[in-house]
Amino acid sequence: MKPIRLAILICSVLAVGVACATPDPEGDNAKPVSNFDLTVGVAAPGSLDPARVDTESARWILNQICDPLVSFDPSTGELLPGIAEAWAVSQDARRVTFNLREGIKFHDGEVLEATDYVASLSRLVRPETQSPFYHLLTNVVGYSEVRTQQVPFLAGVTAPDPHTLVVELSEPFAPFPEVMANPSVGAAVSTAAVNDPERDFDVRPVCAGPYKIDGTTGSEEQIGMVRFDDYEGAQPALQEDGRGYAATIRWRIAFDEQKAYEMFESGKVDVAAIPAAKLAQARESRASISSSDSGHLTYVGLPVTQAGFDSTPFRRALALSMDRSAIVMDMLGRTRGIAEGFLPKSAGPAAALSACGEAFPPKPQTDAARAAAEEAAAPPSTLTLHLNDSGGHEHWMRAVADQWQAALGVETQLRSTDWESYIELLKDPGADGPFRLSWEVIYPSPEALLRPLFASDSPDNFTGYSNDRFDALLAEAASTVGPVERSEIYSQAAKVLCEDVPAIPVWFGTDHVAFGPKLAFAGKTRTNVFGDPILRELKYLQ
């Protein structure tokens, strides 16, 4: 390849969800070409079995080899056809029927049929699979029987014919197609390959996607994949239906993300994630950077059942006196995005409708905070802020404590503990003061965050929050078949949280990805709503 001279656009992103555009190469007589060898630097991915994927690196790889049952627009999270060319939710929201594309093949040449999804979804739930996603199928009929090993297959997942998959649900759950957009849950795997004693499925999975693992897999230093010639494109939001422009993708394995990015800096790979500690340096370099939501929300939970915190005005006072701009922009070096509400972009179209506005201002509103505190009947005079002792959270939590002390005149102290003890504290007896936590949205629906964190009956609701209207809106959304109407209902539920302040959203996690100067991008965005690079859209500049 000839060397080229490009004016590289450096994107110093302040807002979440903004990605740099690839510079137009025409002025330099450089032309984007296909059928090139793409190299990507990643930390050790762990298992590549779709059901067992639990690292960012493995998810990047999974996105190239396994198409999900349902796809989504990478910019908005709106659902689109995938392996299923269409689907229908029954009026009672208890049955979802998926119509599968014809001609889809696994990498071993076998034709993908609906029975493969019966097997794959059942396998996901079985305890011996050890999938971190099994709970996403809790409301499928037969879940408990499979989970307790009474039967091997989900009774509620059937295949009336090779191209029709029917899922029966134990309760109304209209967002079920969104769950199938999670690449680990919505990927069908080859039963023959899973049962092959000669194949290590953690290393060489077989599913349906534009690339397949090649013979170089198994090395501790590299994973190789090649284009799958029999791929029938199932990603309509991508160019060429997601077939991919690179002829091969070589994944260079590093000890951690820092080492992976060092390979990018030295020119050994074309793409790599940028560690937060390296972002300022990357912004000053000639790297082309995309920064976008990662699907994480970091928040400060408030124990609403505790004396003092049971006052909405006092909780509002805490929110109004927090300087989230100073935390995110100054202390964290603009490596995250200030949360304008509870729903990151990965929660789908409803996220754009759910900003909290003045309830959580970036800068503190001290006068308004003090006025709100004066409305509280018996505000606490001392606050104990709880956090886990790993992850480097003490410095910004100390800043929060100082902000509250300065604005509201309360005494503050921090109490940290190891992670296991911390979670046990939050479960029982519960925190007696504000606490730090993060949550990851793992499929493109507000359901993936609102219910687990704030529904009255959720075991992950550590704030103790309970609001009949909020619960009723969640139930209404789960029963609403129309996706647009459902998004509006979820946004109403999110705004109830804005009013009640059971927690204070601080930041949305942001993933930063560096692309080499010889890469051009064919699509409209280089990363999806989960912050993953869309490697299928990359071309090489020659």
Side-chain angles (χ1 to χ4, degrees):
M1 299 289 181
K2 295 186 296 183
I4 57 176
R5 300 189 306 277
L6 290 175
I8 301 299
L9 175 63
I10 300 176
C11 183
S12 297
V13 180
L14 300 182
V16 177
V18 178
C20 300
T22 302
D24 183 356
E26 292 183 1
D28 298 282
N29 297 317
K31 297 180 179 180
V33 299
S34 305
N35 296 317
F36 64 100
D37 298 328
L38 179 67
T39 57
V40 184
V42 291
S47 175
L48 299 183
D49 179 343
R52 290 159 51 85
V53 161
D54 63 356
T55 67
E56 179 185 79
S57 299
R59 192 175 69 239
W60 284 20
I61 295 171
L62 180 65
N63 288 341
Q64 318 314 316
I65 60 176
C66 301
D67 279 348
L69 183 61
V70 176
S71 184
F72 58 88
D73 186 298
S75 299
T76 66
E78 179 183 1
L79 292 194
L80 295 171
I83 297 294
E85 60 184 359
W87 56 88
V89 180
S90 63
Q91 285 302 306
D92 64 359
R94 289 175 175 265
R95 180 189 299 109
V96 186
T97 302
F98 298 94
N99 303 113
L100 307 190
R101 295 176 184 270
E102 297 186 26
I104 300 292
K105 290 184 179 180
F106 288 115
H107 297 148
D108 58 8
E110 294 295 319
V111 175
L112 187 155
E113 296 184 347
T115 52
D116 294 303
Y117 271 102
V118 175
S120 295
L121 293 175
S122 299
R123 175 177 179 264
L124 188 86
V125 174
R126 291 181 202 132
E128 62 266 26
T129 304
Q130 298 182 332
S131 172
F133 306 102
Y134 70 89
H135 62 283
L136 295 182
L137 301 181
T138 301
N139 51 14
V140 175
V141 170
Y143 168 86
S144 296
E145 290 80 0
V146 173
R147 191 65 189 160
T148 56
Q149 299 180 300
Q150 298 176 50
V151 296
F153 295 101
L154 292 163
V157 183
T158 57
D161 62 63
H163 303 111
T164 304
L165 177 71
V166 178
V167 180
E168 301 282 351
L169 304 170
S170 56
E171 59 186 2
F173 192 67
F176 188 80
E178 282 91 327
V179 175
M180 292 296 101
N182 179 297
S184 289
V185 183
V189 296
S190 166
T191 301
V194 169
N195 295 330
D196 183 356
E198 301 299 319
R199 175 181 291 271
D200 185 345
F201 206 78
D202 276 324
V203 175
R204 293 190 299 128
V206 176
C207 46
Y211 293 92
K212 64 178 182 178
I213 303 293
D214 72 10
T216 62
T217 298
S219 166
E220 293 182 356
E221 300 178 354
Q222 179 173 281
I223 296 173
M225 58 178 61
V226 297
R227 187 186 287 122
F228 179 49
D229 292 336
D230 288 335
Y231 176 70
E232 293 290 335
Q235 297 282 324
L238 305 183
Q239 300 294 315
E240 304 294 331
D241 286 333
R243 286 180 172 81
Y245 292 108
T248 67
I249 303 178
R250 285 188 298 117
W251 303 82
R252 298 286 301 276
I253 309 301
F255 175 74
D256 56 18
E257 191 179 68
Q258 176 93 3
K259 295 296 183 183
Y261 183 68
E262 289 174 3
M263 289 194 291
F264 176 84
E265 289 182 303
S266 63
K268 295 179 181 178
V269 299
D270 302 308
V271 181
I274 308 172
K278 287 278 192 176
L279 185 57
Q281 177 182 331
R283 286 170 174 159
E284 296 175 358
S285 73
R286 289 177 56 82
S288 186
I289 302 169
S290 283
S291 299
S292 57
D293 275 354
S294 64
H296 289 79
L297 167 69
T298 290
Y299 66 97
V300 174
L302 303 176
V304 300
T305 61
Q306 296 285 337
F309 296 97
D310 55 358
S311 166
T312 302
F314 182 69
R315 299 196 301 269
R316 189 175 296 122
L318 293 176
L320 291 171
S321 56
M322 183 184 292
D323 192 340
R324 296 180 303 145
S325 178
I327 293 170
V328 175
M329 297 300 177
D330 300 333
M331 297 186 68
L332 301 179
R334 296 180 291 126
T335 56
R336 285 87 159 171
I338 297 174
E340 298 178 348
F342 289 92
L343 297 178
K345 195 174 181 180
S346 55
L353 307 172
S354 305
C356 287
E358 297 179 357
F360 303 113
K363 289 286 189 179
Q365 306 294 313
T366 304
D367 290 343
R370 290 172 178 168
E374 289 177 0
E375 293 182 35
S381 59
T382 301
L383 301 181
T384 299
L385 284 70
H386 296 273
L387 66 155
N388 54 300
D389 59 9
S390 57
H393 300 293
E394 185 168 353
H395 69 304
W396 71 265
M397 284 289 283
R398 169 54 60 191
V400 171
D402 293 344
Q403 291 163 11
W404 286 343
Q405 185 164 329
L408 304 177
V410 294
E411 295 296 322
T412 59
Q413 60 182 352
L414 264 59
R415 182 172 298 166
S416 64
T417 186
D418 64 273
W419 178 252
E420 290 187 2
S421 300
Y422 184 57
I423 292 301
E424 287 303 315
L425 166 70
L426 297 182
K427 288 180 179 179
D428 186 23
D432 58 0
F435 57 90
R436 182 221 73 87
L437 270 183
S438 294
W439 188 263
E440 181 183 11
V441 175
I442 57 176
Y443 59 90
S445 169
E447 180 77 21
L449 182 144
L450 297 182
R451 185 177 300 278
L453 290 190
F454 300 111
S456 299
D457 58 354
S458 170
D460 294 312
N461 177 0
F462 297 134
T463 65
Y465 176 69
S466 179
N467 181 304
D468 291 343
R469 180 171 173 241
F470 177 81
D471 290 342
L473 285 168
L474 289 187
E476 183 181 355
S479 300
T480 300
V481 174
V484 174
E485 295 82 359
R486 190 163 64 248
S487 289
E488 292 175 351
I489 296 168
Y490 277 129
S491 68
Q492 292 175 40
K495 289 180 179 179
V496 171
L497 300 178
C498 299
E499 297 169 2
D500 287 353
V501 199
I504 304 172
V506 185
W507 70 72
F508 292 139
T510 307
D511 281 346
H512 310 276
V513 183
F515 297 85
K518 293 184 178 181
L519 295 177
F521 193 73
K524 58 184 179 180
T525 177
R526 292 192 297 186
T527 52
N528 65 22
V529 293
F530 295 96
D532 299 334
I534 307 175
L535 301 180
R536 305 186 196 188
E537 303 279 61
L538 292 174
K539 290 186 175 182
Y540 200 87
L541 292 172
Q542 179 174 273

